[in-house]
Amino acid sequence: MSTGVFFQSLPSDKQIRRRIHPTFSQEVREYAFYFLKVFVSVALIYLFIRTSVFDVIGISGKSMYPTYDNKDAIYIDQLTPKFSDYRRGDVVVLLSPAHLEGQRDLYIKRVIGLPGDIVILEDGKVFIENDNYPNGVQLDENYYLNPTVPTYKKLAISSDKFVEEKLQDNEYYVMGDNRTASSDSRYFGKVNKSDILGKEFYRIIPPSKAGFFELPSYNIPN
């Protein structure tokens, strides 16, 4: 028959004193474990941000000159492109296409052709042909290119007309702003969205040009 009385064991005086006045070694272990947890948490958050949200990219080379120069640095947005398409004029960082020999390098280029576009290069000019412009229209790139800068297929003066393949879903045509010294889609062809790591959203270096990215204004939709 239950009496309704319950007994509970209490910690000993030694255990109570140990909790109230821990030894030096106990304090060291507790602080070490605490800082380890904080360090691991911060490291995981940092790793997630660098691989999935934002990353800092240092620019090497002159393929985007004069818009960007050697040793400039930008932040790229890796998150929003996962849920949306790139736009004409976006400055993107991509892996060199897998069909090129050697190690896959990072390239920085500007998106010129979008899915559904046919990019045409003729007389040093860029033309875009698509459902809205079945006869083609010259792309006005004065926002970032000097009007005197020509665009040729083989980086040299040519009177030939080049009609590139129509871009399919998730395919883009990219070029450097330094048209006479850029290895881009004119050389390695269209790029798949999966090879693009992200797009610029903020320039860090040089400080005199720091600021958020502004999408160029074109004579046709972006």
Side-chain angles (χ1 to χ4, degrees), residues 47-97:
L47 183 63
F48 171 75
I49 291 174
R50 288 294 299 268
T51 57
S52 303
V53 184
F54 303 126
D55 199 0
V56 180
I57 300 294
I59 296 173
S60 175
K62 295 276 189 177
S63 73
M64 288 293 289
Y65 186 83
T67 311
Y68 303 87
D69 205 349
N70 190 45
K71 297 185 179 180
D72 284 3
I74 60 174
Y75 274 115
I76 62 169
D77 171 11
Q78 302 176 90
L79 184 61
T80 57
K82 291 180 172 63
F83 309 101
S84 62
D85 295 323
Y86 291 100
R87 301 181 65 182
R88 196 186 320 278
D90 274 336
V91 171
V92 298
V93 174
L94 62 136
L95 281 171
S96 57

Short mmCIF file of all heavy atoms in Angstrom, two decimals, residues 47-97:
data_model
loop_
_atom_site.label_atom_id
_atom_site.label_comp_id
_atom_site.label_asym_id
_atom_site.label_seq_id
_atom_site.Cartn_x
_atom_site.Cartn_y
_atom_site.Cartn_z
N LEU A 47 31.17 28.96 -44.05
CA LEU A 47 31.30 28.07 -45.19
C LEU A 47 30.02 28.06 -46.02
O LEU A 47 30.07 28.09 -47.26
CB LEU A 47 31.61 26.64 -44.70
CG LEU A 47 31.85 25.59 -45.79
CD1 LEU A 47 33.07 25.95 -46.61
CD2 LEU A 47 32.03 24.21 -45.16
N PHE A 48 28.87 28.06 -45.36
CA PHE A 48 27.60 28.08 -46.08
C PHE A 48 27.46 29.38 -46.88
O PHE A 48 27.05 29.36 -48.05
CB PHE A 48 26.44 27.95 -45.10
CG PHE A 48 25.09 28.17 -45.72
CD1 PHE A 48 24.52 27.21 -46.52
CD2 PHE A 48 24.41 29.37 -45.50
CE1 PHE A 48 23.28 27.44 -47.12
CE2 PHE A 48 23.17 29.60 -46.08
CZ PHE A 48 22.61 28.63 -46.89
N ILE A 49 27.81 30.50 -46.26
CA ILE A 49 27.68 31.79 -46.95
C ILE A 49 28.61 31.84 -48.16
O ILE A 49 28.20 32.25 -49.25
CB ILE A 49 27.99 32.95 -45.98
CG1 ILE A 49 26.87 33.05 -44.92
CG2 ILE A 49 28.13 34.27 -46.72
CD1 ILE A 49 27.14 34.07 -43.84
N ARG A 50 29.88 31.40 -47.99
CA ARG A 50 30.86 31.47 -49.07
C ARG A 50 30.51 30.55 -50.23
O ARG A 50 30.85 30.83 -51.38
CB ARG A 50 32.25 31.13 -48.55
CG ARG A 50 32.90 32.19 -47.69
CD ARG A 50 33.20 33.46 -48.48
NE ARG A 50 34.11 33.23 -49.57
CZ ARG A 50 35.43 33.35 -49.48
NH1 ARG A 50 35.99 33.70 -48.33
NH2 ARG A 50 36.20 33.16 -50.53
N THR A 51 29.86 29.42 -49.95
CA THR A 51 29.57 28.45 -51.01
C THR A 51 28.17 28.58 -51.58
O THR A 51 27.92 28.09 -52.69
CB THR A 51 29.76 27.02 -50.49
OG1 THR A 51 28.92 26.80 -49.34
CG2 THR A 51 31.21 26.78 -50.09
N SER A 52 27.26 29.22 -50.87
CA SER A 52 25.86 29.23 -51.31
C SER A 52 25.23 30.60 -51.40
O SER A 52 24.18 30.75 -52.03
CB SER A 52 25.02 28.36 -50.37
OG SER A 52 25.51 27.04 -50.31
N VAL A 53 25.81 31.62 -50.78
CA VAL A 53 25.15 32.93 -50.73
C VAL A 53 26.01 33.99 -51.41
O VAL A 53 25.67 34.49 -52.48
CB VAL A 53 24.83 33.33 -49.27
CG1 VAL A 53 24.06 34.65 -49.26
CG2 VAL A 53 24.01 32.24 -48.59
N PHE A 54 27.11 34.39 -50.78
CA PHE A 54 27.99 35.42 -51.32
C PHE A 54 29.43 34.91 -51.33
O PHE A 54 29.80 34.06 -50.52
CB PHE A 54 27.94 36.70 -50.48
CG PHE A 54 26.55 37.28 -50.34
CD1 PHE A 54 26.02 37.55 -49.09
CD2 PHE A 54 25.80 37.57 -51.46
CE1 PHE A 54 24.76 38.08 -48.96
CE2 PHE A 54 24.53 38.10 -51.33
CZ PHE A 54 24.01 38.36 -50.09
N ASP A 55 30.21 35.46 -52.25
CA ASP A 55 31.64 35.15 -52.26
C ASP A 55 32.40 36.36 -52.79
O ASP A 55 31.84 37.19 -53.52
CB ASP A 55 31.92 33.92 -53.14
CG ASP A 55 33.26 33.28 -52.82
OD1 ASP A 55 33.97 33.79 -51.91
OD2 ASP A 55 33.61 32.28 -53.46
N VAL A 56 33.65 36.46 -52.41
CA VAL A 56 34.52 37.54 -52.88
C VAL A 56 35.40 36.99 -54.00
O VAL A 56 36.04 35.95 -53.84
CB VAL A 56 35.39 38.10 -51.75
CG1 VAL A 56 36.28 39.22 -52.28
CG2 VAL A 56 34.53 38.60 -50.60
N ILE A 57 35.43 37.69 -55.11
CA ILE A 57 36.23 37.26 -56.25
C ILE A 57 37.23 38.35 -56.60
O ILE A 57 36.86 39.52 -56.82
CB ILE A 57 35.34 36.97 -57.48
CG1 ILE A 57 34.34 35.86 -57.17
CG2 ILE A 57 36.19 36.61 -58.69
CD1 ILE A 57 34.94 34.51 -56.92
N GLY A 58 38.51 37.98 -56.66
CA GLY A 58 39.54 38.90 -57.12
C GLY A 58 39.72 38.74 -58.62
O GLY A 58 39.78 37.62 -59.12
N ILE A 59 39.79 39.85 -59.33
CA ILE A 59 39.88 39.81 -60.80
C ILE A 59 41.34 39.79 -61.23
O ILE A 59 42.15 40.58 -60.76
CB ILE A 59 39.15 41.03 -61.40
CG1 ILE A 59 37.66 40.95 -61.07
CG2 ILE A 59 39.36 41.09 -62.92
CD1 ILE A 59 36.88 42.17 -61.46
N SER A 60 41.62 38.85 -62.10
CA SER A 60 42.98 38.72 -62.63
C SER A 60 42.92 38.81 -64.15
O SER A 60 42.18 38.07 -64.80
CB SER A 60 43.59 37.37 -62.21
OG SER A 60 44.86 37.19 -62.81
N GLY A 61 43.67 39.74 -64.71
CA GLY A 61 43.68 39.89 -66.16
C GLY A 61 42.93 41.13 -66.63
O GLY A 61 42.39 41.91 -65.83
N LYS A 62 42.88 41.29 -67.96
CA LYS A 62 42.34 42.51 -68.57
C LYS A 62 41.15 42.24 -69.48
O LYS A 62 40.78 43.10 -70.28
CB LYS A 62 43.44 43.18 -69.39
CG LYS A 62 44.63 43.68 -68.59
CD LYS A 62 44.37 45.04 -68.01
CE LYS A 62 45.62 45.66 -67.40
NZ LYS A 62 45.38 47.02 -66.89
N SER A 63 40.52 41.07 -69.36
CA SER A 63 39.46 40.74 -70.31
C SER A 63 38.22 41.61 -70.15
O SER A 63 37.40 41.71 -71.07
CB SER A 63 39.07 39.26 -70.18
OG SER A 63 38.35 39.03 -69.00
N MET A 64 38.05 42.25 -68.99
CA MET A 64 36.89 43.13 -68.78
C MET A 64 37.28 44.60 -68.73
O MET A 64 36.48 45.45 -68.33
CB MET A 64 36.17 42.73 -67.49
CG MET A 64 35.40 41.43 -67.57
SD MET A 64 33.98 41.52 -68.68
CE MET A 64 32.87 42.59 -67.75
N TYR A 65 38.52 44.91 -69.12
CA TYR A 65 39.00 46.29 -69.12
C TYR A 65 38.25 47.10 -70.18
O TYR A 65 37.94 46.57 -71.25
CB TYR A 65 40.50 46.31 -69.41
CG TYR A 65 41.14 47.67 -69.30
CD1 TYR A 65 41.52 48.17 -68.07
CD2 TYR A 65 41.33 48.44 -70.44
CE1 TYR A 65 42.10 49.43 -67.97
CE2 TYR A 65 41.90 49.69 -70.34
CZ TYR A 65 42.29 50.18 -69.11
OH TYR A 65 42.85 51.43 -69.03
N PRO A 66 37.90 48.35 -69.94
CA PRO A 66 38.24 49.19 -68.80
C PRO A 66 37.20 49.15 -67.67
O PRO A 66 37.38 49.84 -66.67
CB PRO A 66 38.29 50.58 -69.41
CG PRO A 66 37.22 50.54 -70.46
CD PRO A 66 37.26 49.15 -71.02
N THR A 67 36.13 48.38 -67.84
CA THR A 67 35.11 48.31 -66.79
C THR A 67 35.70 47.78 -65.50
O THR A 67 35.43 48.29 -64.40
CB THR A 67 33.94 47.42 -67.22
OG1 THR A 67 33.51 47.80 -68.53
CG2 THR A 67 32.77 47.55 -66.26
N TYR A 68 36.52 46.72 -65.62
CA TYR A 68 37.20 46.14 -64.47
C TYR A 68 38.66 45.96 -64.85
O TYR A 68 38.98 45.62 -65.99
CB TYR A 68 36.60 44.78 -64.10
CG TYR A 68 35.12 44.84 -63.81
CD1 TYR A 68 34.19 44.71 -64.84
CD2 TYR A 68 34.65 45.04 -62.51
CE1 TYR A 68 32.83 44.79 -64.59
CE2 TYR A 68 33.29 45.12 -62.25
CZ TYR A 68 32.39 44.99 -63.30
OH TYR A 68 31.04 45.07 -63.05
N ASP A 69 39.52 46.15 -63.87
CA ASP A 69 40.96 46.04 -64.11
C ASP A 69 41.55 44.92 -63.27
O ASP A 69 40.90 44.38 -62.36
CB ASP A 69 41.64 47.37 -63.78
CG ASP A 69 42.94 47.55 -64.55
OD1 ASP A 69 43.41 46.59 -65.18
OD2 ASP A 69 43.47 48.68 -64.54
N ASN A 70 42.78 44.59 -63.60
CA ASN A 70 43.51 43.58 -62.83
C ASN A 70 43.58 43.98 -61.35
O ASN A 70 43.82 45.14 -61.03
CB ASN A 70 44.92 43.43 -63.40
CG ASN A 70 45.66 42.25 -62.84
OD1 ASN A 70 45.10 41.15 -62.72
ND2 ASN A 70 46.91 42.44 -62.48
N LYS A 71 43.30 43.04 -60.46
CA LYS A 71 43.33 43.21 -59.00
C LYS A 71 42.10 43.93 -58.44
O LYS A 71 42.07 44.21 -57.24
CB LYS A 71 44.62 43.91 -58.55
CG LYS A 71 45.87 43.11 -58.87
CD LYS A 71 47.13 43.77 -58.31
CE LYS A 71 48.37 42.94 -58.63
NZ LYS A 71 49.60 43.58 -58.09
N ASP A 72 41.11 44.22 -59.27
CA ASP A 72 39.83 44.66 -58.72
C ASP A 72 39.21 43.49 -57.97
O ASP A 72 39.59 42.33 -58.16
CB ASP A 72 38.89 45.10 -59.84
CG ASP A 72 39.26 46.47 -60.40
OD1 ASP A 72 40.27 47.04 -59.95
OD2 ASP A 72 38.55 46.95 -61.30
N ALA A 73 38.23 43.77 -57.13
CA ALA A 73 37.55 42.70 -56.37
C ALA A 73 36.07 43.01 -56.28
O ALA A 73 35.66 44.16 -56.14
CB ALA A 73 38.15 42.55 -54.97
N ILE A 74 35.26 41.95 -56.38
CA ILE A 74 33.81 42.10 -56.34
C ILE A 74 33.19 41.03 -55.46
O ILE A 74 33.77 39.98 -55.22
CB ILE A 74 33.18 41.99 -57.75
CG1 ILE A 74 33.50 40.61 -58.36
CG2 ILE A 74 33.67 43.12 -58.65
CD1 ILE A 74 32.81 40.35 -59.68
N TYR A 75 32.01 41.34 -54.95
CA TYR A 75 31.16 40.33 -54.31
C TYR A 75 30.24 39.76 -55.39
O TYR A 75 29.71 40.51 -56.21
CB TYR A 75 30.28 40.94 -53.22
CG TYR A 75 30.93 41.04 -51.86
CD1 TYR A 75 31.19 42.28 -51.28
CD2 TYR A 75 31.24 39.89 -51.13
CE1 TYR A 75 31.78 42.38 -50.02
CE2 TYR A 75 31.81 39.99 -49.87
CZ TYR A 75 32.08 41.23 -49.33
OH TYR A 75 32.65 41.33 -48.09
N ILE A 76 30.06 38.44 -55.38
CA ILE A 76 29.08 37.85 -56.29
C ILE A 76 27.94 37.24 -55.50
O ILE A 76 28.12 36.73 -54.39
CB ILE A 76 29.72 36.79 -57.21
CG1 ILE A 76 30.29 35.60 -56.42
CG2 ILE A 76 30.77 37.40 -58.11
CD1 ILE A 76 30.67 34.42 -57.30
N ASP A 77 26.77 37.34 -56.08
CA ASP A 77 25.54 36.78 -55.51
C ASP A 77 25.36 35.38 -56.08
O ASP A 77 25.17 35.22 -57.29
CB ASP A 77 24.37 37.70 -55.88
CG ASP A 77 23.01 37.11 -55.52
OD1 ASP A 77 22.97 36.08 -54.81
OD2 ASP A 77 22.00 37.67 -55.97
N GLN A 78 25.43 34.38 -55.22
CA GLN A 78 25.27 33.00 -55.67
C GLN A 78 23.88 32.44 -55.38
O GLN A 78 23.53 31.37 -55.87
CB GLN A 78 26.30 32.10 -54.97
CG GLN A 78 27.73 32.52 -55.19
CD GLN A 78 28.69 31.65 -54.41
OE1 GLN A 78 29.17 30.64 -54.89
NE2 GLN A 78 28.98 32.06 -53.18
N LEU A 79 23.09 33.18 -54.59
CA LEU A 79 21.82 32.64 -54.12
C LEU A 79 20.66 32.93 -55.07
O LEU A 79 19.97 32.00 -55.51
CB LEU A 79 21.49 33.20 -52.74
CG LEU A 79 20.22 32.65 -52.07
CD1 LEU A 79 20.33 31.15 -51.87
CD2 LEU A 79 19.95 33.36 -50.76
N THR A 80 20.43 34.20 -55.40
CA THR A 80 19.25 34.53 -56.19
C THR A 80 19.24 33.89 -57.59
O THR A 80 18.16 33.55 -58.08
CB THR A 80 19.07 36.06 -56.31
OG1 THR A 80 20.26 36.63 -56.90
CG2 THR A 80 18.84 36.68 -54.96
N PRO A 81 20.42 33.70 -58.25
CA PRO A 81 20.36 33.03 -59.55
C PRO A 81 19.84 31.60 -59.49
O PRO A 81 19.42 31.05 -60.52
CB PRO A 81 21.82 33.06 -60.02
CG PRO A 81 22.42 34.23 -59.33
CD PRO A 81 21.77 34.24 -57.99
N LYS A 82 19.86 30.99 -58.31
CA LYS A 82 19.31 29.64 -58.20
C LYS A 82 17.80 29.64 -58.39
O LYS A 82 17.20 28.61 -58.70
CB LYS A 82 19.66 29.04 -56.82
CG LYS A 82 21.14 28.73 -56.63
CD LYS A 82 21.38 28.14 -55.25
CE LYS A 82 22.80 27.62 -55.09
NZ LYS A 82 23.82 28.67 -55.19
N PHE A 83 17.18 30.80 -58.19
CA PHE A 83 15.72 30.90 -58.28
C PHE A 83 15.26 31.80 -59.42
O PHE A 83 14.06 32.06 -59.56
CB PHE A 83 15.15 31.43 -56.95
CG PHE A 83 15.64 30.67 -55.75
CD1 PHE A 83 16.66 31.18 -54.95
CD2 PHE A 83 15.11 29.44 -55.43
CE1 PHE A 83 17.13 30.48 -53.85
CE2 PHE A 83 15.57 28.72 -54.33
CZ PHE A 83 16.58 29.24 -53.54
N SER A 84 16.19 32.29 -60.22
CA SER A 84 15.83 33.17 -61.33
C SER A 84 16.87 33.04 -62.43
O SER A 84 17.89 32.37 -62.27
CB SER A 84 15.75 34.63 -60.85
OG SER A 84 17.01 35.06 -60.36
N ASP A 85 16.60 33.69 -63.57
CA ASP A 85 17.52 33.63 -64.70
C ASP A 85 18.47 34.82 -64.66
O ASP A 85 18.20 35.85 -64.04
CB ASP A 85 16.74 33.66 -66.02
CG ASP A 85 15.87 32.42 -66.20
OD1 ASP A 85 16.32 31.32 -65.79
OD2 ASP A 85 14.75 32.54 -66.74
N TYR A 86 19.60 34.67 -65.36
CA TYR A 86 20.50 35.80 -65.53
C TYR A 86 19.92 36.74 -66.58
O TYR A 86 19.13 36.33 -67.43
CB TYR A 86 21.89 35.32 -65.94
CG TYR A 86 22.60 34.58 -64.84
CD1 TYR A 86 22.65 33.19 -64.83
CD2 TYR A 86 23.22 35.25 -63.80
CE1 TYR A 86 23.29 32.50 -63.82
CE2 TYR A 86 23.87 34.58 -62.78
CZ TYR A 86 23.90 33.20 -62.80
OH TYR A 86 24.53 32.52 -61.79
N ARG A 87 20.33 37.99 -66.51
CA ARG A 87 19.80 38.99 -67.44
C ARG A 87 20.92 39.51 -68.34
O ARG A 87 22.11 39.45 -67.98
CB ARG A 87 19.16 40.15 -66.66
CG ARG A 87 18.02 39.71 -65.76
CD ARG A 87 17.38 40.86 -65.03
NE ARG A 87 16.73 41.79 -65.96
CZ ARG A 87 16.11 42.91 -65.58
NH1 ARG A 87 16.09 43.26 -64.30
NH2 ARG A 87 15.53 43.69 -66.46
N ARG A 88 20.52 40.02 -69.49
CA ARG A 88 21.50 40.59 -70.40
C ARG A 88 22.20 41.76 -69.71
O ARG A 88 21.56 42.65 -69.16
CB ARG A 88 20.79 41.09 -71.67
CG ARG A 88 21.74 41.35 -72.84
CD ARG A 88 21.04 41.97 -74.04
NE ARG A 88 19.74 41.43 -74.32
CZ ARG A 88 19.50 40.30 -75.00
NH1 ARG A 88 20.53 39.59 -75.44
NH2 ARG A 88 18.25 39.90 -75.22
N GLY A 89 23.52 41.73 -69.74
CA GLY A 89 24.29 42.78 -69.08
C GLY A 89 24.84 42.39 -67.74
O GLY A 89 25.73 43.08 -67.21
N ASP A 90 24.34 41.30 -67.15
CA ASP A 90 24.90 40.83 -65.88
C ASP A 90 26.38 40.51 -66.04
O ASP A 90 26.79 39.93 -67.06
CB ASP A 90 24.18 39.57 -65.40
CG ASP A 90 22.91 39.86 -64.61
OD1 ASP A 90 22.80 40.96 -64.04
OD2 ASP A 90 22.03 38.98 -64.56
N VAL A 91 27.17 40.88 -65.06
CA VAL A 91 28.57 40.46 -65.01
C VAL A 91 28.63 39.21 -64.15
O VAL A 91 28.24 39.24 -62.98
CB VAL A 91 29.47 41.58 -64.45
CG1 VAL A 91 30.88 41.06 -64.19
CG2 VAL A 91 29.51 42.76 -65.41
N VAL A 92 29.10 38.12 -64.74
CA VAL A 92 29.05 36.83 -64.07
C VAL A 92 30.44 36.22 -63.94
O VAL A 92 31.35 36.53 -64.71
CB VAL A 92 28.13 35.83 -64.82
CG1 VAL A 92 26.70 36.36 -64.85
CG2 VAL A 92 28.63 35.57 -66.24
N VAL A 93 30.58 35.36 -62.94
CA VAL A 93 31.80 34.58 -62.76
C VAL A 93 31.44 33.14 -63.07
O VAL A 93 30.46 32.60 -62.53
CB VAL A 93 32.35 34.71 -61.32
CG1 VAL A 93 33.52 33.77 -61.11
CG2 VAL A 93 32.78 36.15 -61.06
N LEU A 94 32.21 32.51 -63.95
CA LEU A 94 31.89 31.17 -64.39
C LEU A 94 33.13 30.29 -64.43
O LEU A 94 34.26 30.78 -64.49
CB LEU A 94 31.23 31.19 -65.77
CG LEU A 94 32.08 31.78 -66.90
CD1 LEU A 94 31.97 30.92 -68.15
CD2 LEU A 94 31.63 33.21 -67.21
N LEU A 95 32.88 29.00 -64.41
CA LEU A 95 33.95 28.04 -64.64
C LEU A 95 34.14 27.88 -66.14
O LEU A 95 33.16 27.81 -66.89
CB LEU A 95 33.59 26.68 -64.03
CG LEU A 95 33.78 26.52 -62.53
CD1 LEU A 95 33.16 25.20 -62.07
CD2 LEU A 95 35.27 26.54 -62.17
N SER A 96 35.39 27.82 -66.58
CA SER A 96 35.63 27.59 -67.99
C SER A 96 34.97 26.26 -68.40
O SER A 96 34.94 25.31 -67.61
CB SER A 96 37.13 27.55 -68.27
OG SER A 96 37.77 26.57 -67.48
N PRO A 97 34.38 26.20 -69.58
CA PRO A 97 33.66 25.00 -70.01
C PRO A 97 34.48 23.73 -69.89
O PRO A 97 35.70 23.73 -70.09
CB PRO A 97 33.30 25.31 -71.46
CG PRO A 97 33.23 26.80 -71.51
CD PRO A 97 34.31 27.27 -70.57
#
